């Protein structure tokens, strides 16, 4: 135990929150997409997108690092809260603060135009993370984004079959809010699109 010990991030899923069975979904008539058989109004957002049901048991069991909890990611992303401590993320006149895996060689003005599922971060949590984890300095990019509008959702896509909807692929997909395929997506995470970005670490 020391002062730079990493805390369990707010968005990290805990073992007590793991869902062991596949979601029970039905397909609506006339190719209108997927639904829960016992759906309630809270299962969809204001755009009509169907969301995965996830248990809430933060702090119970063991943290599953690398597994992001759907409801907490969604809250942090929507309200621009720090992904680690859930306080408001840092922002200044240049924009909101983010730390991302460093892919700045991918395209010339990376990460402009990128859809991301990582919520932003606050300065104390960024400093703590980079101090406790030297690899973060080299493997990650620290970004300011002047605009980062909500742009879509990430989730599992389904295909209609005669015996009900089936997962199209084991890999999560990111869909923009204007995609007609949203009818067939069970959303896990909110996506923001980074624009007008500045990379802060050389
Ligand atoms: Zn924080």
């Amino acid at each position: 135990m020391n002062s730079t010990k990493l805390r369990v991030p707010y968005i990290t899923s805990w073992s007590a929150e793991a869902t062991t069975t596949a979601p029970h979904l039905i397909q609506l008539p006339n190719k209108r997409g997927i639904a829960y058989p016992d759906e309630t109004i809270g299962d969809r957002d204001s755009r009509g997108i169907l969301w995965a049901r996830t248990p809430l048991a933060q702090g119970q069991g063991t943290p599953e690092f690398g597994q992001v909890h759907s409801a907490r990611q969604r809250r942090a992303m929507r309200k621009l809260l720090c992904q680690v401590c859930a306080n408001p993320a840092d922002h200044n006149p240049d924009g909101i603060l983010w730390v991302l895996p460093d892919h700045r060689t991918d395209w010339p003005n990376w990460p402009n135009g990128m859809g991301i599922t990582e919520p932003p971060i606050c300065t104390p949590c960024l400093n703590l993370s980079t101090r406790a984890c030297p690899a973060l300095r080299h493997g990650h990019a620290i970004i300011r984004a002047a605009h980062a509008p909500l742009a879509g959702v990430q989730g599992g896509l389904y295909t209609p079959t005669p015996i009900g909807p089936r997962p199209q692929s084991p890999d999560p997909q990111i869909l923009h809010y204007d995609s007609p395929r949203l009818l067939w997506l069970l959303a896990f995470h909110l996506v923001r699109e980074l624009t007008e970005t500045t990379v802060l670490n050389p």
Side-chain angles (χ1 to χ4, degrees):
M1 196 76 153
N2 60 56
S3 62
T4 56
K5 186 176 187 291
L6 279 175
R7 64 191 292 172
V8 178
Y10 171 70
I11 62 167
T12 296
S13 200
W14 289 72
S15 55
E17 296 175 318
T19 44
T20 48
T21 52
H24 183 207
L25 297 169
I26 55 170
Q27 57 202 36
L28 297 169
N30 304 319
K31 297 203 161 92
R32 285 186 297 117
I34 51 172
Y36 290 114
D38 57 345
E39 196 170 303
T40 64
I41 195 160
D43 287 316
R44 291 184 189 265
D45 64 19
S46 59
R47 297 169 188 270
I49 296 169
L50 190 68
W51 280 82
R53 291 170 170 173
T54 47
L56 288 173
Q58 190 183 10
Q60 293 176 36
T62 51
E64 312 218 297
F65 291 103
Q67 297 286 331
V68 174
H69 189 267
S70 172
R72 288 195 295 278
Q73 187 273 357
R74 192 177 163 195
R75 177 171 181 267
M77 203 57 147
R78 189 164 47 85
K79 303 179 100 168
L80 292 169
L81 306 179
C82 171
Q83 59 171 282
V84 180
C85 70
N87 286 320
D90 188 79
H91 73 279
N92 70 14
D94 293 329
I96 296 168
L97 188 65
W98 309 76
V99 58
L100 298 172
D102 193 343
H103 293 294
R104 72 183 86 188
T105 54
D106 281 10
W107 66 86
N109 61 348
W110 183 92
N112 269 294
M114 188 164 73
I116 57 159
T117 58
E118 294 92 341
I121 195 161
C122 73
T123 307
C125 288
L126 177 67
N127 292 340
L128 193 64
S129 306
T130 49
R131 213 169 47 235
C133 177
L136 207 59
R137 252 194 302 273
H138 306 293
H140 290 71
I142 300 164
I143 309 287
R144 286 269 178 206
H147 292 289
L150 288 169
V153 285
Q154 184 189 49
L157 258 184
Y158 286 77
T159 310
T161 78
I163 52 165
R166 289 289 170 268
Q168 198 177 88
S169 151
D171 301 320
Q173 307 282 318
I174 286 181
L175 294 185
H176 196 270
Y177 280 139
D178 61 13
S179 171
R181 295 192 299 161
L182 279 176
L183 293 174
W184 297 97
L185 188 92
L186 184 64
F188 311 142
H189 299 136
L190 272 177
V191 174
R192 284 186 181 268
E193 182 182 345
L194 298 182
T195 62
E196 297 179 46
T197 58
T198 314
V199 181
L200 301 182
N201 56 328

